[in-house]
Amino acid sequence: MRGRGETPTVEEVRLPAPGPGELRVRIRAAGLCHSDLAMVNGTLAPAYPLVLGHEATGVVAEAGPATRLAVGTPVVLNWAPACRDCWHCRHGEPWLCAANTAPSVARGETAAGESVQVTLGLGALAEEVVVPERAAVPVPAGLPPAQAALLGCAVLTGVGAVRNTARVGAGESVAVIGLGGVGLAVLTAARRAGASPILAVDVVEAKRELALAAGATDFLRSDDTLGREVRARTDGRGVDHAFECVGRSATIRAAWRATRRGGAVTVVGMGAKDDLLSLSALDIFHSARTLRSSVYGSTDPDREVPELAAALAAGDLDLAPLVSGTVSLAEAPEALDRLARGEGARWVVTFPD
Ligand SMILES: [Zn+2]
Ligand SMILES: [Zn+2]
């Protein structure tokens, strides 16, 4: 990315050699995420030129001094590696680590010698990255690369939102608004938690089959009838848990309205700072609902990525419905356009061995 709103191009970038505590990782697969779009359209404000990408799997190709992982170790990249030393890390909230606040950091340079930024400390839409070792979580060998890549963002975020933030229990009712990669991961996790019914909501009718494959019991169109359709499936009450996976005030409001009195709304989508949500003081009091966000699934990736990777390896977690297709790096800009148009779930860039 050369600047906000511009079309990404494929360019040669020179990476530094891995320093102490750093690894060079050869990327096998990298997913295209809405947060990458946020870097393209300016919802987030990174510095440019910028290498996109933060959801990836690869193999350690070179280990700098004072590292533990051996060359050849398969890893999933973590875009919010915990420092283990700040207030949040010491109080059991590594996903809010104070060391991870910048949308991009400087690493490497262009062929012309210009300093380059990498997205969320990774810049994973590339053949290789150089990252701190704590941003690389070892996983078993032999995982399907396109599915393993999703463990680093969409799946960790969606599963964590259900398991850690909302703590959905068996038999509880769930609505999921917005069926991109994260929304579909929320559906998968809700089914694993034994939730019922699981109502999948999107504006795009074409998401119906995807939603049912990922674990939804019902697909509902996101329109004026949504509240009525949700209440019709929850004895007139609304759902116990609504997950907003879009990042817009309008869909947060729809999630709020779909939730029963005393229920919980979990905002998983990342929205814009000028998109304001208005709720009446009476509504907030009378509905007794909880509204909160789930950042990176309220998860510790060092613990949960290996757990999810083991489930994937054992065939106990099927992420195939989340992968709409694989593309080459040259095709990534076009796939980002498809993502922006809401076509499919996750498009994943794969690299030849
Ligand atoms: Zn992401
Ligand atoms: Zn920290």
Side-chain angles (χ1 to χ4, degrees):
M1 282 297 301
R2 284 275 167 186
R4 175 179 174 168
E6 293 187 19
T7 302
T9 54
V10 180
E11 290 188 32
E12 290 284 339
V13 165
R14 273 198 297 268
L15 286 172
E22 292 182 339
L23 305 170
R24 183 163 59 85
V25 174
R26 191 165 52 81
I27 302 296
R28 295 286 315 280
L32 301 173
C33 173
H34 274 96
S35 302
D36 292 309
L37 281 181
M39 302 277 180
V40 173
N41 64 25
T43 302
L44 286 174
Y48 302 99
L50 170 75
V51 182
L52 295 171
H54 61 276
E55 177 183 78
T57 186
V59 174
V60 177
E62 185 184 354
T67 52
R68 292 167 296 111
L69 295 181
V71 169
T73 306
V75 296
V76 164
L77 299 182
N78 169 2
W79 55 255
C83 76
R84 306 291 173 195
D85 196 36
C86 71
W87 188 92
H88 288 287
C89 283
R90 285 185 284 106
H91 289 79
E93 296 178 345
W95 56 92
L96 300 180
C97 175
N100 300 309
T101 51
S104 65
V105 301
R107 194 168 301 146
E109 54 185 31
T110 64
E114 201 181 352
S115 173
V116 164
Q117 298 275 317
V118 295
T119 295
L120 296 171
L122 301 178
L125 279 170
E127 293 158 317
E128 295 188 342
V129 295
V130 170
V131 295
E133 187 175 43
R134 58 194 168 86
V137 184
V139 293
L143 298 177
Q147 293 184 39
L150 307 194
L151 297 179
C153 187
V155 172
L156 198 58
T157 299
V159 170
V162 169
R163 231 166 38 178
N164 306 329
T165 314
R167 298 174 187 265
V168 173
E172 290 192 301
S173 53
V174 164
V176 182
I177 300 182
L179 305 177
V182 171
L184 292 169
V186 169
L187 290 176
T188 302
R191 180 162 68 177
R192 282 164 69 81
S196 180
I198 301 172
L199 313 177
V201 183
D202 203 285
V203 287
V204 181
E205 174 68 27
K207 300 270 178 159
R208 180 185 292 273
E209 293 309 314
L210 273 174
L212 297 176
T217 58
D218 300 72
F219 175 85
L220 305 176
R221 285 294 296 276
S222 181
D223 56 27
D224 301 346
T225 66
L226 181 62
R228 198 167 67 225
E229 295 293 327
V230 169
R231 284 192 298 280
R233 288 162 176 80
T234 50
D235 295 327
R237 283 191 306 275
V239 291
D240 299 313
H241 298 277
F243 293 87
E244 197 273 354
C245 306
V246 181
R248 285 203 196 120
S249 58
T251 35
I252 295 171
R253 174 178 288 281
W256 177 263
R257 289 208 182 117
T259 304
R260 68 164 167 83
R261 280 187 84 189
V265 179
T266 304
V267 175
V268 189
M270 185 191 63
K273 67 179 172 189
D274 56 355
D275 185 9
L276 303 184
L277 173 69
S278 138
L279 299 168
S280 82
L282 177 63
D283 189 11
I284 289 169
F285 175 81
H286 182 259
S287 72
R289 294 175 184 125
T290 305
L291 173 65
R292 65 190 154 192
S293 82
S294 179
V295 172
Y296 213 178
S298 313
T299 186
D300 185 343
D302 287 336
R303 186 170 48 79
E304 289 197 55
V305 166
E307 245 178 71
L308 292 166
L312 185 59
D316 187 31
L317 178 67
D318 179 19
L319 301 179
L322 276 64
V323 179
S324 298
T326 58
V327 298
S328 69
L329 188 60
E331 294 165 322
E334 198 188 313
L336 273 170
D337 284 343
R338 285 201 290 270
L339 180 67
R341 290 196 299 267
E343 290 172 26
R346 263 306 196 258
W347 301 92
V348 182
V349 175
T350 54
F351 297 87
D353 273 327

